Amino acid sequence: MNNSEHYFDWAATSPADDDILRESLELTLQSWGNPSSTHSVGKQAKKLLDEARERCAKAMNVKAENIFFTSGGTESDQIPILSMLNKPSKGTILISSIEHPAVREQAEAMKNCGWNVASIPADKNGIITPEAVEKLLTSDTMLVCIMAVNNETGSIQPIYEIADLLLEHYAGKRKPKFHVDCVQAAGKIPLNISHKGIDSAAFSSHKICGPRGIGILYLKDPLDPFLRGGGQEKGIRSGTENIFGAVAFSKCLKRYYLRTIILDDDTVYSSYSQYIKQTETTDSFLKNLSSLNCCTIIPPTRMENKELFSPYVVQAAFSKIPGNVMLRALDSKGFYISTGSACSSKKAGRPVLEAMHISPDLRENSVRFSFGPHTTQTAVNELFEAVKEIATAFNGK
């Protein structure tokens, strides 16, 4: 593992697990053929790819036939959205007001194709409630997109309750597809994507110590892809497969993925104790931050509703310190954080915080601390001391 002791931007990307990448690279150097080729070299590569798919499926407790490899979380989010363009008639797409740009920007582009796109409002905690979803459901709603864990605040969305709502609301009728972005949830909180109301889900390798450029799209049922090509991945995602990425991602899922139902498989659940440990570490960090008069946890109600948030993401604002100033001050001390989504870092505005009705001053001063499986209590304590020193310099005692 790379030296990442004071790295607190895991929600943007994670340092890779060296042992997994080296082992996966060695395997793919030995099986370098094109898995679509029918000769023995191609068959050897296909066997490696099939084994990776099976490993992913076992970790996620789904069937291998439901796993499709993509180039990353963005593509895994966009395939279900773009598939709507093949529908014989246009309808409505509902997305949460706190979605990642991978969903939000693609949904916005669908408007240019004649689709109606509606935003589901979040409550003060940044939660999309089933009631908020139900208010916007119509007879022509064809797709609903809601992320499992928000990448800026860590708010955990009630995806299972929303899935159940959709099943009940459309009982006996055509139900809209329900897509879940699980990029910030995989390996961080327990997941059950085989829940009967979830139709598709997106995952990204580089968020859980794997390589960049590889993702997974879970599909409960086949869909008609808008983009076509050579027919790889059963036509869902054409293009020669990234075997190295698939193998490495599968090994990371085996190491870190958490299911909602704990089985007797210590290998799969090796990270469950880490989840409990991180919860304790984050609780301590939140208490320390709350002791600073100049600090506001976002949302301010998080301390009373900690069960609604992933322990791997914390958003906070500091009076008199713009977020980019805090980022640079910590960077100069060797601590690495962000001001929000890495995919939005060059764009003005904070759509997620705006959707939560966070005041402009707090939005400007907010920063994100995000953690991973290799984050230690000692490192987090040192982070707080650095934050406290900077906050005191700007605000006094």
Side-chain angles (χ1 to χ4, degrees):
M1 229 282 293
N2 295 324
N3 182 13
S4 57
E5 183 181 5
H6 290 152
Y7 180 73
F8 302 101
D9 196 18
W10 286 75
T13 196
S14 62
D17 280 0
D18 289 353
D19 61 326
I20 286 180
L21 265 63
R22 293 180 189 282
E23 181 183 11
S24 301
L25 179 59
E26 184 63 31
L27 288 170
T28 49
L29 286 173
Q30 297 170 13
S31 301
W32 45 265
N34 188 319
S36 296
S37 299
T38 57
H39 47 61
S40 57
V41 177
K43 289 178 180 178
Q44 183 180 2
K46 186 177 186 303
K47 181 175 181 293
L48 200 60
L49 183 65
D50 290 342
E51 290 172 349
R53 199 184 312 277
E54 289 284 352
R55 195 178 295 115
C56 291
K58 182 179 179 182
M60 301 163 78
N61 199 29
V62 297
K63 295 179 180 178
E65 64 194 47
N66 300 124
I67 298 292
F68 299 88
F69 291 113
T70 69
S71 65
T74 293
E75 188 177 33
S76 296
D77 277 328
Q78 294 179 345
I79 289 174
I81 297 174
L82 289 172
S83 73
M84 294 291 111
L85 295 174
N86 291 319
K87 300 295 182 182
S89 59
K90 299 177 179 65
T92 296
I93 296 173
L94 299 183
I95 70 167
S96 81
S97 58
I98 59 168
E99 287 302 303
H100 186 276
V103 170
R104 186 175 65 247
E105 296 296 328
Q106 188 60 63
E108 188 68 21
M110 294 291 283
K111 291 182 180 180
N112 298 327
C113 300
W115 282 75
N116 177 46
V117 177
S119 178
I120 310 166
D123 66 13
K124 63 182 181 180
N125 289 313
I127 302 293
I128 304 298
T129 65
E131 293 76 19
V133 175
E134 188 167 31
K135 287 181 180 179
L136 294 178
L137 294 176
T138 60
S139 59
D140 75 339
T141 301
M142 304 184 76
L143 176 67
V144 178
C145 299
I146 297 174
M147 65 195 336
V149 172
N150 183 260
N151 55 301
E152 293 196 32
T153 67
S155 58
I156 300 174
Q157 305 306 312
I159 56 173
Y160 310 117
E161 290 85 347
I162 292 171
D164 290 340
L165 163 70
L166 293 174
L167 289 170
E168 181 180 349
H169 186 92
Y170 290 95
K173 304 175 185 177
R174 178 197 55 79
K175 183 186 81 68
K177 297 294 184 180
F178 183 34
H179 175 73
V180 181
D181 181 331
C182 293
V183 169
Q184 294 295 341
K188 305 294 179 61
I189 68 169
L191 280 174
N192 177 24
I193 61 168
S194 62
H195 186 91
K196 59 183 178 180
I198 296 176
D199 296 292
S200 58
F203 299 85
S204 178
S205 168
H206 76 99
K207 305 295 188 179
I208 55 168
C209 303
R212 298 172 177 84
I214 184 73
I216 284 174
L217 172 63
Y218 161 80
L219 288 176
K220 184 178 70 174
D221 298 305
L223 56 70
D224 187 15
F226 178 71
L227 298 179
R228 311 297 175 93
Q232 293 89 344
E233 295 299 296
K234 298 181 182 178
I236 298 299
R237 197 277 180 181
S238 293
T240 303
E241 299 90 342
N242 175 359
I243 299 181
F244 161 72
V247 172
F249 196 3
S250 70
K251 291 179 179 294
C252 289
L253 285 172
K254 181 177 180 180
R255 179 171 289 177
Y256 296 113
Y257 196 85
L258 288 168
R259 302 179 198 158
T260 53
I261 301 173
I262 300 178
L263 305 176
D264 294 326
D265 188 335
D266 293 335
T267 302
V268 173
Y269 289 98
S270 61
S271 60
Y272 195 78
S273 60
Q274 171 61 34
Y275 169 72
I276 301 300
K277 182 179 178 181
Q278 185 59 51
T279 299
E280 296 171 348
T281 297
T282 300
D283 285 351
S284 174
F285 182 57
L286 285 166
K287 289 177 182 177
N288 284 334
L289 287 178
S290 298
S291 70
L292 301 177
N293 293 330
C294 63
C295 178
T296 301
I297 306 297
I298 298 177
T301 54
R302 173 164 180 163
M303 294 297 288
E304 301 90 65
N305 300 280
K306 288 184 288 187
E307 72 283 356
L308 300 178
F309 296 87
S310 164
Y312 289 90
V313 179
V314 170
Q315 184 90 201
F318 300 85
S319 60
K320 301 181 182 179
I321 313 177
N324 59 355
V325 173
M326 175 62 83
L327 185 154
R328 291 197 298 269
L330 283 172
D331 192 299
S332 68
K333 294 177 177 292
F335 295 85
Y336 311 108
I337 65 167
S338 71
T339 55
S341 170
C343 297
S344 300
S345 61
K346 296 181 181 180
K347 299 179 182 179
R350 298 292 297 275
V352 171
L353 302 186
E354 290 173 22
M356 296 168 60
H357 304 291
I358 301 298
S359 70
D361 288 345
L362 286 180
R363 294 203 302 265
E364 182 182 357
N365 292 1
S366 68
V367 294
R368 180 183 69 185
F369 307 98
S370 54
F371 315 110
H374 303 298
T375 302
T376 66
Q377 177 72 65
T378 299
V380 173
N381 290 343
E382 291 170 350
L383 169 65
F384 171 71
E385 292 302 322
V387 168
K388 181 179 178 181
E389 182 179 341
I390 295 166
T392 300
F394 277 82
N395 291 273
K397 295 184 179 179

